[in-house]
Amino acid sequence: MDHSYRGNMGSDNGNGSRGPRRPGFSASYPVVDPEPLPAPREDAASRVFAFVEDLFFLSKIQATGLKMNVKVEFVKNEKELTDRMKSNGEEKPSLIIFDLNNANAKPLTLIPKLKSKLKKGTSIIGFLSHVQGDLKQKAHEVGCDMVLPRSAFSQNLPQLLRRHGAVEPEAGAAD
């Protein structure tokens, strides 16, 4: 078989792709992670909880939380979340993350309960496979604030943890 046609396809142009660079298209640049938050106190209450059992995402969330200095607690069910929130005192979580494919957590029944209990101070974010359009729609209907495909969730995780992991200044604290 004659493979001479490959010679006409262009050569490596330095950016890892073959062929001539098209005008108007530049090389892609890596996404820069936001600056980590200041290290939390040892006794600081967790502001982020996650209903995630998938080991890949569990380790990704843990590693990103450590990198961003955000304490993330993983829970398996509503009772465990309630117990952990009681140990936090009066402070409500800022963010609850759901793997919408985690059947043990029953996200479509638990999300409305949490929304009614926690009100506006807590954001609920779910992630799923990009092909699960029906599940995405149902999650929005039951009260999920944001539903992301797994890839977008992974990409935006540092920004999400930084935004929701920051401790609000205490009332009456002078600057």
Side-chain angles (χ1 to χ4, degrees):
M1 178 178 233
D2 182 21
H3 294 286
S4 62
Y5 67 91
R6 290 184 178 178
N8 295 330
M9 292 179 68
S11 60
D12 187 354
N13 62 11
N15 69 354
S17 64
R18 298 185 62 85
R21 189 179 303 213
R22 294 183 294 174
F25 290 89
S26 61
S28 61
Y29 295 98
V31 177
V32 178
D33 286 340
E35 288 291 317
L37 294 169
R41 298 184 331 254
E42 290 296 320
D43 63 340
S46 182
R47 298 179 45 78
V48 180
F49 291 91
F51 287 89
V52 177
E53 288 184 344
D54 180 314
L55 291 177
F56 175 76
F57 280 95
L58 192 137
S59 63
K60 183 167 195 59
I61 294 167
Q62 274 181 329
T64 306
L66 287 172
K67 184 176 168 185
M68 299 304 297
N69 291 327
V70 175
K71 186 176 178 183
V72 180
E73 290 192 45
F74 293 89
V75 291
K76 296 189 184 310
N77 53 44
E78 182 182 11
K79 182 185 180 326
E80 194 175 336
L81 175 65
T82 305
D83 292 344
R84 298 255 182 103
M85 284 175 19
K86 284 180 185 173
S87 69
N88 277 355
E90 294 298 313
E91 189 171 349
K92 292 181 181 176
S94 174
L95 174 65
I96 298 176
I97 300 169
F98 274 94
D99 177 352
L100 295 172
N101 291 305
N102 182 354
N104 293 332
K106 300 179 181 116
L108 295 180
T109 57
L110 184 54
I111 291 170
K113 289 181 192 177
L114 293 174
K115 278 309 256 188
S116 65
K117 184 191 299 185
L118 299 171
K119 307 288 184 227
K120 292 186 181 244
T122 302
S123 295
I124 297 178
I125 295 177
F127 64 90
L128 43 61
S129 172
H130 70 281
V131 296
Q132 295 178 298
D134 291 342
L135 181 57
K136 179 179 180 177
Q137 183 65 34
K138 287 177 187 173
H140 277 297
E141 288 170 4
V142 298
C144 214
D145 296 309
M146 185 185 304
V147 181
L148 299 168
R150 291 176 182 268
S151 58
F153 174 75
S154 293
Q155 188 174 14
N156 294 310
L157 186 58
Q159 291 86 351
L160 292 169
L161 291 181
R162 187 176 199 314
R163 180 180 328 138
H164 292 283
V167 179
E168 287 104 18
E170 294 179 21
D175 286 294

